[in-house]
Amino acid sequence: MTTRSHPARPRAQASRPALTAPALAAAALTTAALTTAALSSAALAADIDRDDGMTLVVPPWPGVTVKSEILAQILTPLGYSVERQEVSSTVGYNTLTTGDSDAFLAGWLPAQQDSYDAAMAAGAITDLGNNVTGARMGFAVPGYVYDAGIHSAADLAAHAEQFEKTFYSIESGSTVGDFINAAVDKDVYGLGDWDVMESSTPGMLSEVRAAEGDQRWIAFYGWTPHWMVPEFDVHILDDPEEVYGGNNGASDVKTIVSSAFAEANPNLTRLLDQLAFSADEQSEFILDYGLNKRDLEDVAHDWLKTHPEHLADFLDGVTTRDGGSALEAVEASL
């Protein structure tokens, strides 16, 4: 502590009445209480978290892009900074392992299982659980095909001609591409003589849009959360043979944090642990940003503004970096 010298002050000429012993004791207790409160506040501000910000892994996917922006708009008024690393999920697990990034809001399992398992085995990451409820992937059809009675992947082969024996999927080399190609090779669901048309996600969904326009039957790889769900009334089919994983393709979308970061930053980690969305909610803001091309900051801001109950849940027990009310700080920023 730096000590500053002050010029001597002249003594007051008038005499003051002496304080009694009880008054002196009371004054000492008051001073001690004020000092303790000040020290506690300073300690809270200094020690609650080691870091004054976080670095997020943000692959170029609309869902995690919006979620990361929502988190950034919460963290900034709390007194924390946010940096984003726009890298693939595979690279992201590596940077979490090396400590070059702190958190990732799109740990999709089982699609990222190998990378996840390696980082967990190294003791490098902490799994805070799902931040999306109702996530799922698998064989999908538009609503009008579902309404015609196609509810399971086991129904596809019986209508092979209507589907032109073609299944549309995303880019070759993806994990989910491996799933469907292995199923065709093994003739699962009688798909052995079907063609798998692999393309980019926009390419695949352009085929879905064209089919919908003609009310033509189409089977494709679908997942939620994604804007395809509200846009095309997508239905993901039952998958009894577990081509896309157990429980009919149910997926985890986890919040993954560097273990060292989680240990050193309890306040930030509490917020990360409480950040959660339904698949339908995430699909809607993906639609807003990914398809309707609204400004990212506006999409995140509007979502927070119209979901005050979620914001309160996210910030339960969380403080600003200096120990103040997190909810008040964020509400004031909106």
Side-chain angles (χ1 to χ4, degrees):
M1 180 174 67
T2 303
T3 303
R4 296 181 180 178
S5 60
H6 298 277
R9 296 179 179 178
R11 294 179 180 273
Q13 297 301 313
S15 61
R16 297 179 179 178
L19 292 174
T20 64
L24 285 170
L29 286 171
T30 299
T31 301
L34 290 171
T35 301
T36 300
L39 288 173
S40 297
S41 177
L44 179 63
D47 296 336
I48 193 167
D49 279 339
R50 179 194 67 191
D51 299 316
D52 59 4
M54 72 170 68
T55 299
L56 296 172
V57 174
V58 187
W61 308 332
V64 69
T65 298
V66 177
K67 278 192 295 191
S68 297
E69 178 61 24
I70 288 172
L71 179 59
Q73 291 192 22
I74 294 172
L75 286 174
T76 299
L78 299 189
Y80 297 95
S81 63
V82 178
E83 294 185 11
R84 299 168 179 82
Q85 292 179 335
E86 296 183 359
V87 297
S88 69
S89 61
T90 302
V91 173
Y93 280 100
N94 290 335
T95 59
L96 287 166
T97 299
T98 60
D100 293 315
S101 59
D102 302 316
F104 177 37
L105 302 181
W108 277 78
L109 298 180
Q112 300 165 8
Q113 197 72 53
D114 290 346
S115 296
Y116 172 90
D117 287 347
M120 285 294 287
I125 59 173
T126 296
D127 180 348
L128 297 183
N130 284 343
N131 63 59
V132 176
T133 56
R136 195 177 167 201
M137 63 179 180
F139 298 89
V141 295
Y144 55 89
V145 177
Y146 187 86
D147 291 343
I150 307 302
H151 297 167
S152 169
D155 299 328
L156 295 173
H159 300 270
E161 297 306 319
Q162 287 169 279
F163 288 111
E164 298 179 349
K165 292 188 177 181
T166 302
F167 183 81
Y168 292 85
S169 187
I170 60 173
E171 55 272 1
S172 177
S174 66
T175 303
V176 294
D178 293 341
F179 291 165
I180 184 60
N181 283 301
V184 170
D185 289 344
K186 297 175 183 177
D187 196 27
V188 178
Y189 300 130
L191 300 178
D193 60 348
W194 283 45
D195 293 323
V196 176
M197 301 295 291
E198 295 178 308
S199 178
S200 64
T201 299
M204 181 189 75
L205 292 177
S206 70
E207 293 288 346
V208 177
R209 187 177 296 283
E212 184 191 47
D214 298 333
Q215 293 289 286
R216 176 166 41 87
W217 284 33
I218 186 170
F220 58 97
Y221 169 63
W223 68 92
T224 182
H226 193 273
W227 62 254
M228 73 175 78
V229 177
E231 181 71 3
F232 301 126
D233 186 24
V234 168
H235 291 258
I236 298 173
L237 305 180
D238 290 344
D239 182 10
E241 297 296 329
E242 301 186 352
V243 170
Y244 287 101
N247 196 21
N248 287 316
S251 297
D252 292 321
V253 184
K254 293 176 173 288
T255 298
I256 308 296
V257 184
S258 159
S259 294
F261 181 88
E263 183 177 353
N265 298 283
N267 192 50
L268 285 170
T269 301
R270 184 182 182 103
L271 170 57
L272 288 167
D273 189 37
Q274 295 174 169
L275 196 75
F277 309 85
S278 72
D280 287 345
E281 287 167 345
Q282 185 163 319
S283 293
E284 289 293 342
F285 62 62
I286 291 173
L287 176 71
D288 221 11
Y289 171 66
L291 184 63
N292 296 338
K293 306 298 182 185
R294 287 193 64 218
D295 180 78
L296 174 62
E297 292 183 2
D298 290 344
V299 171
H301 173 272
D302 291 353
W303 193 90
L304 284 169
K305 189 76 173 176
T306 56
H307 292 81
E309 72 289 351
H310 282 0
L311 181 60
D313 289 341
F314 297 168
L315 294 174
D316 182 35
V318 177
T319 70
T320 63
R321 177 149 174 78
D322 61 5
S325 169
L327 185 58
E328 289 179 6
V330 178
E331 287 177 337
S333 74
L334 300 175

